Every structure is written in C-alpha cells, then in structure tokens.
Amino acid sequence: MLGKTANGLFWMYRSLERAENTSRLVETGQRIALTRLDSSVGEWISIMQTAGVADGYLARHEEVTKESAIDWMLRARDNPSSVLSTISAARQNARLVRTALTHDVWEAMNRCYMQVRERLARKVGERDLPAAIDCIQQHTALVRGTTQGTMLRNDIFNFARIGTYLERADNISRILDVKYYVLLPSVNSVGSSIDNVQWETILRAVSARGGFRMVHGSQASPVDIARFLILDRRMPRSLRFSITKIRDNLTYLGSDYGVHHPSHAQADTLVRRFMSHDIDSIFEYGLHEYLQDILAALAALGHQIEIDYRFYE
C-alpha cells in the first residue's frame, strides 16, 4: 500500500473518533456543570484542556462562557479539533482513499458529513444540544458499523483500526487524568457524593455506564471505575482494550507485509509496561504519572507508525 493511502485511512478514522469523543466531552461538561453550585467557567476550561483545545480558545477569546466553549468545540473552523473540523477532515481523507473503501462506508461517511454540517450550521443552543450530540454520535457510529460489516480484514482495515484505537486510548487517558487533577474542586472531594456523581458522568462520557453496572452493579466506587476503564479486557473503550487492539493490528500488518518495524516493538512494550499492573499498584505509583506516561508512549508510537509506513511519501 502507498504511504499516502495508509496515511489517509489512518487519519480518516482517527478524525472520526476524535469528533465523537469531542461530542462526548461536551456532553460531559454539560452534565458535570449541573452538579456544581458555583460558576461553571473552570469546568469548561478543564473540558477544553482535556480535548487539547484550551490554548487555542484562550488565544481568541477574552473570557470563558459555556456558550462560547461549546461553540468552539463543536463548530469553530479555526479549531482543527472541533467536531465540524474533524468530520470535514475525515471526509476529505475518505475522498482521497475512496477506492480503498466499500461503497457502504463511503456513503455512510458522506452522509455523516452532510448531516453534521447541517446540524452545526448555526450556534447550538442549550435546548438543541442533546439532539446535536445524538446526531454526531449516531452518524459516526454508522461509519464505524459499516466499516465493521463490509470491509475486508486486510491492511486497509488494519490502518483504519490503528487510527481509531490510538485516538481512543489518548482520549480515555486524558479524561481520566482530568478527572482527578483538574475537575475535582479540592482533595477533600475524593470519595464524596460529588466525586461519585462525577465518576458516573465519566462513565457516561465513554459509553461505559451500562457495561460497568453489568459487572459491578449500581454501587460505583472510584477504584472500581478506574479499574474498569483502565484494565478491563471486555470494555471496548478501556485503555487495555484499545492498546491491545493497536498491538494486534500492527501485528497483522507485520504478518501481511513480512516485516517487523520499530512500531511493532513499541506496541508490544506498551502493552507489557502498562497492562501488567493491578489498580492498586497504579494508584500507588500515581494515577496522574501513570496516565502521563501512557500519553507520551502513545504519541511516540503514533509518530513511529508514520515513519515506519512512510505516511508522507
């Protein structure tokens, strides 16, 4: 496969995953703000920090408001990580690699772009926000579903999956990190009713609430939730699930091409280094430090994949 085709597939699916994750972060900000008695300004700054878009916002706005933060994350064309920007980027990459996609995937991607663009044509008010978020999540899920249901399990599929799961692992790491080190108003809140409400909201943000209740029932302790989101093998948005899929799809590429690149070794190391501990050991080491180490390792792995597969040649 040409490097530019691999690049297009990787970034099409990474952008699509980012759009969905950003919509979930907006939803999370809205839910958590409802549990706060004071101003939600700090809340929206922390949500934008999670998405990696706070600096860009602050460079263009004199103050932080809920309305302007939501607009920045959903619609702003000068924010490359807004939902509208990432959906547009995903469609542009899909056009570049159209011959590598099935007809069903292309149609789903095109419909996703058109529906989301129409929904975000104007500023989204509070009353219309749930419908806008549902539209984004439903149409990105449709692209993902047609990919799963119609694509051959070959190198095309593997690059799509690697892009998806790199973005997903990065996102869940940032959400968990912000939960303990930005969102909490004070150390005394850990374990309080407010803390537990926020953990419930985090579960909702990654579509994990139903799965968690199947495993643990209705009692949600922070340790159990952290274990579920970091280490559970069955949860499709957990860290373990995501980085294991990255490793597996890189392994399939290596087998198809008859090569063993440095990125393959990095993925193996990533799984062994971070998934060989129990949750108590992770908390003892420091959750923030652990997640920061993972984020650095994921960034290095993504860069190495681009080098190994000559994305820009």
Side-chain angles (χ1 to χ4, degrees), residues 1 25 43 77 97 141 184 226 232 236 257 286 297:
M1 180 185 293
L25 284 172
E43 178 63 45
R77 293 191 178 276
V97 299
L184 287 180
D232 197 280
Y257 293 156

Side-chain angles (χ1 to χ4, degrees), residues 32-92:
I32 293 181
L34 295 176
T35 70
R36 293 287 177 85
L37 299 177
D38 55 356
S39 170
S40 64
V41 168
E43 178 63 45
W44 286 105
I45 291 175
S46 70
I47 290 294
M48 289 190 288
Q49 286 174 338
T50 306
V53 300
D55 290 344
Y57 176 92
L58 294 172
R60 293 169 176 80
H61 298 80
E62 294 183 356
E63 62 178 355
V64 177
T65 66
K66 179 181 74 172
E67 292 75 16
S68 60
I70 290 174
D71 194 64
W72 177 252
M73 295 182 72
L74 292 184
R75 300 178 62 250
R77 293 191 178 276
D78 50 350
N79 172 13
S81 291
S82 73
V83 169
L84 193 57
S85 294
T86 49
I87 290 291
S88 298
R91 181 176 182 262
Q92 180 60 28

Side-chain angles (χ1 to χ4, degrees), residues 260-305:
H260 187 78
H261 287 307
S263 57
H264 301 165
Q266 283 184 232
D268 287 338
T269 300
L270 185 64
V271 174
R272 289 197 307 271
R273 178 184 174 191
F274 293 106
M275 294 299 118
S276 60
H277 309 287
D278 60 25
I279 197 65
D280 293 333
S281 299
I282 291 171
F283 273 95
E284 183 177 351
Y285 175 72
L287 182 61
H288 174 67
E289 290 76 13
Y290 174 84
L291 293 169
Q292 286 295 308
D293 289 349
I294 287 182
L295 286 167
L298 288 169
L301 176 58
H303 180 65
Q304 191 61 52
I305 290 170

Side-chain angles (χ1 to χ4, degrees), residues 40-42 74 112 142 147 168 179 198 242 244 269 272 306:
S40 64
V41 168
L74 292 184
C112 175
L142 182 61
T147 301
R168 188 172 295 180
K179 171 63 185 78
Q198 290 181 7
S242 298
T244 299
T269 300
R272 289 197 307 271
E306 293 179 354

Side-chain angles (χ1 to χ4, degrees), residues 200 209 211-220:
E200 281 272 322
R209 185 169 177 265
F212 179 84
R213 286 179 177 269
M214 289 180 186
V215 176
H216 294 281
S218 60
Q219 298 301 312

Side-chain angles (χ1 to χ4, degrees), residues 81-295:
S81 291
S82 73
V83 169
L84 193 57
S85 294
T86 49
I87 290 291
S88 298
R91 181 176 182 262
Q92 180 60 28
N93 278 300
R95 291 181 64 183
L96 294 174
V97 299
R98 188 170 177 178
T99 57
L101 305 173
T102 63
H103 175 76
D104 288 341
V105 172
W106 165 251
E107 287 295 319
M109 182 68 253
N110 207 38
R111 190 177 303 114
C112 175
Y113 168 73
M114 290 188 292
Q115 291 293 322
V116 171
R117 184 182 62 175
E118 180 180 353
R119 179 69 68 170
L120 300 182
R122 294 170 296 279
K123 282 191 175 183
V124 181
E126 187 167 357
R127 185 180 63 179
D128 297 325
L129 184 59
I133 289 173
D134 284 347
C135 174
I136 296 162
Q137 294 176 6
Q138 287 172 10
H139 283 284
T140 53
L142 182 61
V143 180
R144 190 166 58 246
T146 54
T147 301
Q148 291 284 346
T150 68
M151 296 284 286
L152 289 175
R153 272 31 177 188
N154 56 10
D155 52 352
I156 295 171
F157 184 79
N158 289 324
F159 280 116
R161 297 271 281 186
I162 291 166
T164 296
Y165 282 109
L166 263 173
E167 186 65 30
R168 188 172 295 180
D170 182 89
N171 179 70
I172 188 63
S173 298
R174 292 180 187 279
I175 288 177
L176 285 167
D177 197 30
V178 166
K179 171 63 185 78
Y180 258 83
Y181 291 90
V182 180
L183 291 181
L184 287 180
S186 71
V187 174
N188 293 330
S189 295
V190 177
S192 69
S193 60
I194 290 292
D195 182 58
N196 291 333
V197 167
Q198 290 181 7
W199 273 113
E200 281 272 322
T201 306
I202 297 303
L203 285 173
R204 289 177 181 271
V206 294
S207 294
R209 185 169 177 265
F212 179 84
R213 286 179 177 269
M214 289 180 186
V215 176
H216 294 281
S218 60
Q219 298 301 312
S221 76
V223 172
D224 286 338
I225 295 173
R227 182 188 295 110
F228 187 68
L229 295 181
I230 295 172
L231 298 175
D232 197 280
R233 300 174 184 273
R234 302 157 296 177
M235 162 57 183
R237 290 184 178 274
S238 76
L239 264 175
R240 180 188 291 275
F241 192 98
S242 298
I243 68 174
T244 299
K245 290 299 182 183
I246 296 168
R247 181 198 62 188
D248 291 348
N249 286 105
L250 281 170
T251 300
Y252 300 149
L253 282 175
S255 177
D256 288 344
Y257 293 156
V259 297
H260 187 78
H261 287 307
S263 57
H264 301 165
Q266 283 184 232
D268 287 338
T269 300
L270 185 64
V271 174
R272 289 197 307 271
R273 178 184 174 191
F274 293 106
M275 294 299 118
S276 60
H277 309 287
D278 60 25
I279 197 65
D280 293 333
S281 299
I282 291 171
F283 273 95
E284 183 177 351
Y285 175 72
L287 182 61
H288 174 67
E289 290 76 13
Y290 174 84
L291 293 169
Q292 286 295 308
D293 289 349
I294 287 182
L295 286 167

